[in-house]
Structure formats: structure tokens, C-alpha cells
């Protein structure tokens, strides 16, 4: 169906940070399937692990034990400090699991109509509950009636969350992206999560982080919350987790880890042997190849080099982000840059109308990063010179 305004191009194979079309022309991939292909394309360790697993066992059922799933849960809990995991197939599903968990928790506390605090400009997915949680009219329009039970405040404003406590007695959780992705790569003040943690602790609310985009090394840490001193009660993952094999996860600790009981939630495919092998191998390669450090280093280089190259160019509002989650905000709409970059064999994204978004693979090398900044700075320079704000 016509759910995407697609570019005409198709890619037939990939290698590292490069994608190739049918004519053999290669494109520098600075989008990575929207923060999915952290290991780049056709990573040998991933290919081998997937081939071996596919030859052994692809799917059984969550009605039986799945050793690969148990190992993945163990690994994710060790890396994050959380205690239990539920596996599904996408970011929206991971957030559905978190939303249902918060509601069930509320009911278990005797709250009949539990509400969840969500943010303006947030993005949580396209299912009915997650689009209702999303802070974008564009995503919601035409799908009313929306799912109720969400209260919305501006992103980055902890005081606004605190004030809600005085107006509502049915709040059970706060759902927030540590860094907003689709909303424009929005970076809050450094103490935002700590403030939210304190409010949640004071009120007995669950702090639920949507790390579907920011998790799995994207920001230079395993999880974006690890740039702060807080531990969430619930965290959702997907995009980068399986390197392109669909898998999502909802992790929890403490009381939040005890909420679900058999029959309350489920997934046919979620956490099957193939998907869990993809995720386990992804985590293994990130660790072995020190890709967290690489993401931090390449991200810092890209932001600094772009800032230097774009000095004096009019209408550069901001260059921001963390690790390899980078936004360049312009003073005018810049959706056309995607096609112009494609013509120069560079894959980028524009979100929130006027923010160029870069989400390159975590394996990005120095030469490739330098090529990216050189090409992109020239494209932005031309764009800002030739269009009106
Ligand atoms: C992409 C995204 C989602 C939705 O993930 P899907 O796999 O497309 O359902 C949810 N939250 C955030 C922060 C995202 O970036």
C-alpha cells in the first residue's frame, strides 16, 4: 500500500557502510536503515551466525524454553542493570508491552484508569496505543478515536511533569525517549533524566525509557540512559538490536519486573532462536570491536567537523546529538536534501521538516566519516545559499 513516499532507488547488496545498486554504483549509508544496521551490511560474523542458526533451528515457540532467548535476556540485563525481558518484533510492540505493563501495574495498585505521562514531539510507533502516545498530530490524524490514558507535557521540562502530580492522581508511569529521534534529534538538559527519576521515585511512578532508537550503542554507550546516573524501571529496545533481523525487547526491574504473569501478554515470533542469535551476535561484535568507543569518537568528529565546515553558512540553527545520533537543524525545510544527497550517492535522512538526521553504522571509519562531512557540508552550503528561509 502507499504507506511510504519511496525513493526510486533499490539496493541489491551491501558491505560495511556501503550499499550497491544493480549497476554496481556504491552509496555511503549514513542512515543504516534508520538506526538498524549498526554493524553495517553483510557483517561476516553476523552472516555466519545467522546461516548456522538457520540451518539448526529458526523458530519453535514461546511455549517451550528457548536457550538463545535466555542468553540474550541475561546479556541485556547484565549490560543495562535491569532484571527481566520480554521479546517481540518491533519498537512499537516493545512500547505496547511497556504501556500494557504500566496499566497492569496501575490496576494492581488499585488505580482503575491509569495514565502515562508522554512528551511533545515524541515518537513511539504506529500501532493505535503507540501513535496515541506519540507527540505528533501528523502521526495521529485520521486515526481517531485515539487510545486514552496519556497526559502530555513538553519534552525536556521536568517541572511540567512534577506539576502534573498535583493535577492527576491516576498517573502510573512516565514514558520518554532519552534523546528524541524522529522529533528532531532533541537533546534535553544533562540532568533531565535524574529529575524525572526523582519525581517518579517520589510519586511511585515507573520511569519507562523508549530506547528503540537510542539504544544498542547508538549514542556511544550501550543505552542512552548510561550518560546519566539513573536506572529506569522499564526500557524498550528494537532498531539496532537485531541488525535488521526483526526483534524488539521490553526490559524491566524491581516491581515492574513482577507485573506480567502467564497469559497477560505474548508474541508468536517474539524472541525466536534466529532473532535472538542476530541480537546476541550484534552485542558480541559491538563489544569485541569496541564499537561504543568508535560511535562516541566518530560522532564527536562529525559534529565538530561539520561545525567547522559550516561556519559562516547562514541559517545553521544547531548541530547536536550524542555518538552517532546526530541532527543538524536548519532555519528552513530541507526535505529536498535527501534527493540531492542520493544523487551524490550519500544516504541521509531529514526529520521534523528542517533537521538533517545522521544515523550511520557504528562501524563507521575515519575516512568514511570525513567523506560524509565533506559531502554533507557542501550540500547544506548549497541548500542554504539557494533557498529562502
Ligand atoms: C522507530 C521508533 C519506534 C517504532 O519502532 P518500529 O520498529 O518502527 O515499530 C518507537 N520508538 C522510537 C523512539 C523509534 O525511534
Amino acid at each position: 500500500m502507499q504507506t511510504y513516499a519511496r525513493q526510486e532507488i533499490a539496493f541489491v547488496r551491501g558491505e560495511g557502510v556501503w550499499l550497491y545498486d544493480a549497476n554496481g554504483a556504491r552509496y555511503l549509508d549514513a542512515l543504516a536503515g534508520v538506526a538498524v544496521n549498526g554493524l553495517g551490511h553483510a557483517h561476516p560474523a553476523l552472516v555466519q551466525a545467522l546461516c548456522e542458526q538457520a540451518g539448526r533451528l529458526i523458530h519453535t515457540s514461546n511455549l517451550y524454553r528457548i536457550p538463545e532467548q535466555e542468553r540474550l535476556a541475561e546479556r541485556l540485563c547484565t549490560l543495562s542493570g535491569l532484571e527481566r525481558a520480554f521479546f517481540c518484533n518491533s519498537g512499537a510492540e516493545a512500547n505496547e508491552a511497556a504501556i500494557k505493563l504500566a496499566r497492569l501495574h496501575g490496576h494492581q495498585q488499585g488505580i482503575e484508569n491509569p495514565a502515562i505521562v508522554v512528551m511533545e514531539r515524541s515518537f513511539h510507533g504506529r500501532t493505535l496505543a503507540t501513535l496515541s502516545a506519540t507527540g505528533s498530530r501528523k502521526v495521529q490524524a485520521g486515526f481517531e478515536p485515539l487510545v486514552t490514558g496519556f497526559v502530555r507535557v513538553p519534552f525536556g521540562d521536568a517541572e511540567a511533569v512534577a506539576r502534573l502530580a498535583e493535577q492527576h492522581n491516576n498517573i502510573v508511569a512516565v514514558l520518554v525517549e532519552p534523546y528524541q529521534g524522529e522529533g528532531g534529534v532533541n537533546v534535553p538538559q544533562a540532568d533531565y533524566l535524574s529529575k524525572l527519576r526523582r519525581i517518579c521515585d517520589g510519586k511511585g511512578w515507573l520511569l519507562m525509557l523508549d530506547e528503540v532508537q537510542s539504544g544498542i550503542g547508538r549514542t556511544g554507550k550501550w543505552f542512552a540512559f548510561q550518560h546519566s546516573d539513573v536506572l529506569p524501571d522499564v526500557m524498550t529496545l528494537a532498531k539496532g538490536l537485531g541488525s535488521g533481523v526483526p526483534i524488539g525487547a521490553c526490559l524491566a526491574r524491581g516491581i515492574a519486573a513482577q507485573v506480567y504473569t502467564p497469559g497477560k501478554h505474548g508474541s508468536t515470533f517474539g524472541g525466536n532462536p534466529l532473532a535472538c542469535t542476530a541480537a546476541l551476535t550484534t552485542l558480541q561484535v559491538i563489544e569485541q570491536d569496541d564499537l561504543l568507543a568508535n560511535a562516541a569518537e566518530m560522532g564527536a568528529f562529525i559534529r565538530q567537523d561539520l561545525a567547522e565546515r559550516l561556519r559562516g553558512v547562514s541559517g545553521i540553527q544547531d548541530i547536536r546529538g550524542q555518538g552517532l545520533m546526530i541532527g543538524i537543524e536548519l532555519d528552513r525545510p530541507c526535505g529536498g536534501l535527501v534527493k540531492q544527497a542520493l544523487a551524490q550517492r550519500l544516504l541521509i535522512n531529514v526529520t521534523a521538516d528542517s533537521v538533517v538526521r545522521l544515523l550511520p553504522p557504528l562501524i563507521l571509519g575515519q575516512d568514511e566519516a570525513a567523506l560524509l562531512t565533506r559531502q554533507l557540508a557542501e550540500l547544506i552550503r548549497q541548500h542554504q545559499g539557494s533557498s529562502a528561509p
Side-chain angles (χ1 to χ4, degrees):
M1 296 189 189
Q2 299 91 316
T3 50
Y4 282 85
R6 297 176 200 278
Q7 303 293 334
E8 270 307 313
I9 187 107
F11 300 107
V12 297
R13 75 182 181 89
E15 195 181 333
V17 300
W18 302 97
L19 280 171
Y20 293 80
D21 68 16
N23 300 321
R26 70 174 198 175
Y27 296 72
L28 179 59
D29 185 4
L31 183 60
V34 194
V36 168
N37 305 104
L39 308 186
H41 302 281
H43 192 287
L46 182 65
V47 173
Q48 189 187 345
L50 286 176
C51 288
E52 285 174 11
Q53 185 60 51
R56 210 161 36 236
L57 195 60
I58 293 174
H59 177 84
T60 53
S61 166
N62 280 304
L63 296 172
Y64 310 109
R65 287 183 63 170
I66 302 174
E68 296 82 2
Q69 186 184 121
E70 292 174 14
R71 285 211 301 279
L72 178 59
E74 187 78 52
R75 192 79 191 99
L76 288 172
C77 288
T78 301
L79 294 174
S80 66
L82 278 71
E83 293 165 1
R84 283 183 178 272
F86 167 80
F87 291 101
C88 50
N89 315 286
S90 67
E93 279 178 86
N95 287 329
E96 285 277 345
I99 291 164
K100 281 181 66 177
L101 186 156
R103 284 185 168 199
L104 193 55
H105 170 66
H107 283 275
Q108 289 168 356
Q109 311 284 308
I111 299 171
E112 289 295 318
N113 58 339
I116 299 171
V117 180
V118 291
M119 306 304 158
E120 290 172 9
R121 299 194 287 175
S122 61
F123 183 80
H124 299 297
R126 300 287 194 159
T127 63
L128 277 173
T130 58
L131 76 82
S132 301
T134 290
S136 156
R137 273 309 294 161
K138 232 173 161 172
V139 169
Q140 295 175 342
F143 300 107
E144 299 80 3
L146 300 181
V147 174
T148 57
F150 297 106
V151 250
R152 197 173 304 282
V153 295
F155 177 68
D157 186 350
E159 283 67 38
V161 177
R163 280 195 299 277
L164 286 177
E166 295 152 23
Q167 300 153 16
H168 301 264
N169 58 10
N170 60 337
I171 291 172
V172 293
V174 175
L175 174 63
V176 61
E177 297 155 86
Y179 303 95
Q180 287 185 332
E182 307 300 308
V185 193
N186 300 315
V187 177
Q189 298 270 309
D191 61 354
Y192 181 51
L193 287 187
S194 319
K195 285 181 171 171
L196 291 182
R197 180 71 273 176
R198 267 200 300 281
I199 295 165
C200 288
D201 287 343
K203 298 292 169 189
W205 303 345
L206 302 178
L207 179 59
M208 309 202 298
L209 299 183
D210 179 346
E211 295 236 22
V212 168
Q213 188 162 148
S214 60
I216 315 296
R218 178 52 49 192
T219 69
K221 304 263 189 193
W222 283 109
F223 310 104
F225 77 78
Q226 292 171 333
H227 293 282
S228 76
D229 58 359
V230 314
L231 204 52
D233 301 292
V234 174
M235 171 174 67
T236 57
L237 300 171
K239 290 195 166 89
L241 181 55
S243 292
V245 179
I247 181 168
C250 176
L251 274 64
R253 72 177 173 99
I255 195 170
Q258 308 300 323
V259 170
Y260 279 130
T261 51
K264 289 295 185 190
H265 199 46
S267 168
T268 297
F269 296 125
N272 81 18
L274 187 75
C276 289
T277 295
L280 279 163
T281 309
T282 299
L283 300 178
Q284 200 174 24
V285 173
I286 290 175
E287 185 170 43
Q288 276 171 5
D289 293 357
D290 221 358
L291 297 184
L292 300 182
N294 189 64
E297 196 182 325
M298 290 303 113
F301 164 78
I302 290 170
R303 286 190 301 278
Q304 195 194 331
D305 196 50
L306 278 178
E308 280 169 24
R309 290 174 182 278
L310 292 172
R311 191 171 298 138
V313 176
S314 76
I316 309 295
Q317 304 295 86
D318 197 12
I319 299 173
R320 59 179 175 250
Q322 186 76 258
L324 287 174
M325 186 170 176
I326 298 170
I328 303 114
E329 183 175 352
L330 308 182
D331 65 347
R332 65 200 76 171
C334 59
L337 274 171
V338 171
K339 223 181 191 62
Q340 289 160 22
L342 183 66
Q344 298 190 14
R345 299 183 179 161
L346 172 64
L347 306 180
I348 59 166
N349 176 250
V350 168
T351 192
D353 287 334
S354 58
V355 181
V356 178
R357 179 171 53 158
L358 304 177
L359 297 164
L362 308 182
I363 57 160
L364 187 75
Q366 178 61 51
D367 292 350
E368 299 153 346
L371 179 63
L372 166 61
T373 54
R374 202 161 64 235
Q375 270 193 296
L376 182 62
E378 192 46 40
L379 282 161
I380 292 176
R381 178 188 294 277
Q382 282 169 16
H383 178 268
Q384 293 303 95
S386 64
S387 65

